[in-house]
Amino acid sequence: MEVSVINYGGIITSLKAKDRNGKYQDIVLGFNSLPPYEDENPYFGALIGRYGNRIANGNFKLDGQSYKLDINNPPNHLHGGIKGFHKVVWNPKEIINDRDVSLELTYLSKHMEEGYPGNLDVKVTYTLNNEDELSVFYEAVTDQKTIINLTQHSYFNLSGDFNQSILNHKVKINANQFLPVNKSLIPTGNKLNVSMTPFDFRDYKEIKKDINADDLQLNYGNGYDHCWVLNDYKNGYRLVASAFHEESGRLMEVYSDQPGLQFYTGNFLDGSLPQKGEGFYNFRSGFCMETQ
């Protein structure tokens, strides 16, 4: 495989993998040049921080003190704010050996940047090895108690054809429960069993099977945009999800030590953003699996 990363936003701009016939194609959504990444876009390929996902009304309390964050997804704070980690320039360092190649990215997020307390030294290391495994390793040190939730926001389309939707991909998520949300996509605090619901991906299932079901949660997210409560969290690093595209033969497996996985099906892509080739990214032309 081949991965391309820029140090603006730590963005994965392409990920090339072969199909069942040995043909290499790019399988992640993105742009051909830097300016569209600098403009507003749906976090294509970006590192997310300080805090992935939504914080209700841009407010949180820590040790009795209230902190106010920017509202960039009204009425909520989303993915680190207006200038989150997806909009900063990281310091890059290449590490190459016989088994793998790594790109080490570092960034100092200063105290009260985007409203978060503490100076936060962050290091994210991308590594691609000879077994076609791409790993993302997150590290951070703070000088003051703070909150953090780092993740990676690539949009995948394993067909390699961005004119195709992702609805015929088969997905499996190792989770017995998911987090229901309210109208503004904030978790309610409950956990619901996936059994007998459209959110049951314990066995391989085509995304299209239940995505248009008459379900309040799907209506809120305009499709899947929810956090699954991953099984076996206490066991640490384990297989948490996989996606398979039958026509191309491409299989992607996701391993993580995290308790949650946000599965998002590109429900807000609307045909307005240009593809790397010809055409535009249409509704549900990519999916995300954000461990968190």
Side-chain angles (χ1 to χ4, degrees):
M1 300 203 307
E2 177 188 278
V3 62
S4 298
V5 182
I6 57 175
N7 65 318
Y8 177 81
I11 293 168
I12 294 176
T13 56
S14 76
L15 179 61
K16 295 178 180 177
K18 61 185 178 182
D19 66 7
R20 65 171 75 251
N21 300 314
K23 180 184 178 184
Y24 281 85
Q25 288 175 293
D26 193 354
I27 58 168
V28 293
L29 279 59
F31 303 115
N32 276 328
S33 61
L34 181 60
Y37 288 114
E38 295 177 298
D39 293 338
E40 286 304 306
N41 73 83
Y43 306 93
F44 282 154
L47 288 178
I48 301 298
R50 290 187 186 191
Y51 205 92
N53 227 318
R54 295 171 178 85
I55 295 178
N57 303 311
N59 286 312
F60 73 92
K61 276 190 175 182
L62 191 59
D63 289 342
Q65 183 171 345
S66 294
Y67 293 92
K68 180 65 178 171
L69 309 174
D70 286 325
I71 304 298
N72 61 324
N73 183 235
N76 304 315
H77 174 88
L78 176 66
H79 290 334
I82 295 170
K83 191 179 180 183
F85 289 176
H86 64 295
K87 292 286 189 184
V88 303
V89 177
W90 297 68
N91 296 310
K93 177 185 175 183
E94 289 184 340
I95 305 169
I96 300 172
N97 60 49
D98 292 339
R99 299 178 306 279
D100 53 45
V101 57
S102 297
L103 181 66
E104 185 182 280
L105 298 172
T106 54
Y107 176 69
L108 172 60
S109 177
K110 293 184 178 179
H111 175 60
M112 298 310 295
E113 182 175 283
E114 289 294 318
Y116 293 92
N119 292 297
L120 190 75
D121 269 305
V122 188
K123 180 164 72 172
V124 179
T125 306
Y126 288 113
T127 301
L128 181 64
N129 69 19
N130 293 339
E131 273 64 62
D132 288 340
E133 296 167 334
L134 175 64
S135 69
V136 191
F137 188 65
Y138 310 90
E139 301 171 80
V141 178
T142 180
D143 62 0
Q144 182 179 334
K145 187 182 284 190
T146 189
I147 62 172
I148 188 170
N149 181 29
L150 304 176
T151 193
Q152 217 290 331
H153 210 293
S154 284
Y155 286 68
F156 298 93
N157 187 322
L158 302 184
S159 75
D161 179 359
F162 301 135
N163 292 310
Q164 289 190 31
S165 83
I166 44 85
L167 293 177
N168 63 347
H169 286 58
K170 294 179 180 178
V171 165
K172 185 175 182 179
I173 303 174
N174 182 24
N176 297 331
Q177 297 177 309
F178 77 102
L179 302 184
V181 296
N182 63 21
K183 286 182 180 179
S184 69
L185 302 180
I186 295 294
T188 63
N190 297 321
K191 297 176 184 177
L192 291 183
N193 290 329
V194 299
S195 180
M196 307 294 289
T197 77
F199 293 82
D200 191 351
F201 283 92
R202 290 174 295 178
D203 290 316
Y204 274 112
K205 178 175 72 174
E206 286 191 329
I207 295 172
K208 66 184 176 185
K209 182 178 180 184
D210 295 323
I211 197 169
N212 294 316
D214 185 12
D215 179 272
L216 182 62
Q217 285 297 309
L218 290 174
N219 291 340
Y220 282 164
N222 200 27
Y224 296 112
D225 191 5
H226 296 73
C227 181
W228 271 253
V229 182
L230 297 171
N231 297 337
D232 305 320
Y233 173 47
K234 291 181 180 179
N235 293 339
Y237 186 71
R238 74 274 188 222
L239 178 65
V240 298
S242 51
F244 179 62
H245 183 254
E246 196 156 358
E247 184 180 349
S248 69
R250 291 190 180 95
L251 169 71
M252 181 178 75
E253 294 180 322
V254 181
Y255 290 78
S256 179
D257 61 0
Q258 295 297 289
L261 175 84
Q262 188 85 5
F263 177 51
Y264 170 57
T265 46
N267 312 312
F268 298 107
L269 298 175
D270 60 5
S272 63
L273 297 172
Q275 292 184 21
K276 298 172 189 176
E278 295 182 355
F280 295 84
Y281 292 119
N282 292 314
F283 187 51
R284 295 176 178 162
S285 57
F287 69 88
C288 304
M289 287 185 170
E290 306 156 54
T291 56
Q292 57 183 14

